[in-house]
Amino acid sequence: MSNSTSTDLQELKELINKRFDKVDEEIEALKKQQAETKESIAEIKGQLKGWEPQVNKIGDLIEKVGELKNWRQIALIAFAAILGWFLRGGKL
């Protein structure tokens, strides 16, 4: 082979190797981002598990409100709750 052909081949090899190195760097960056995303998801799942008991109570509250036949009953219950709060020494 001539000297120019081997030089061209060497340049092509270097170019290809640089591209592969760049791809490897990008893959590593993506893996790091994926790990961070997994950590965030685990944190969100933990928060949701903490909220689960409160979310389960919403259905019970809706059912209890649905059991009240009219607004007079609601007003009477609210008045009794406020009166009970004052009798226990509640402060504003």
Side-chain angles (χ1 to χ4, degrees):
M1 272 200 249
S2 70
N3 193 17
S4 65
T5 307
S6 65
T7 306
D8 290 342
L9 286 175
Q10 185 63 28
E11 286 178 12
L12 278 173
K13 285 180 184 178
E14 288 175 6
L15 179 65
I16 291 170
N17 286 334
K18 284 180 185 178
R19 295 292 178 166
F20 277 122
D21 291 343
K22 191 173 184 180
V23 168
D24 287 341
E25 289 173 4
E26 291 177 2
I27 288 173
E28 289 301 319
L30 286 173
K31 285 181 180 179
K32 183 179 178 185
Q33 185 177 7
Q34 182 184 21
E36 291 172 356
T37 304
K38 284 181 179 181
E39 289 175 7
S40 297
I41 290 172
E43 185 178 317
I44 291 170
K45 283 183 179 180
Q47 289 176 350
L48 288 176
K49 285 190 183 225
W51 293 351
E52 188 176 5
Q54 295 161 344
V55 171
N56 290 340
K57 290 180 183 178
I58 292 174
D60 295 337
L61 288 173
I62 291 172
E63 187 178 329
K64 287 181 183 180
V65 169
E67 290 174 357
L68 300 174
K69 303 263 189 239
N70 56 39
W71 287 104
R72 243 182 270 155
Q73 287 178 319
I74 295 172
L76 182 61
I77 290 171
F79 177 72
I82 293 170
L83 182 63
W85 182 68
F86 277 119
L87 291 176
R88 286 181 289 161
K91 296 180 182 179
L92 291 178

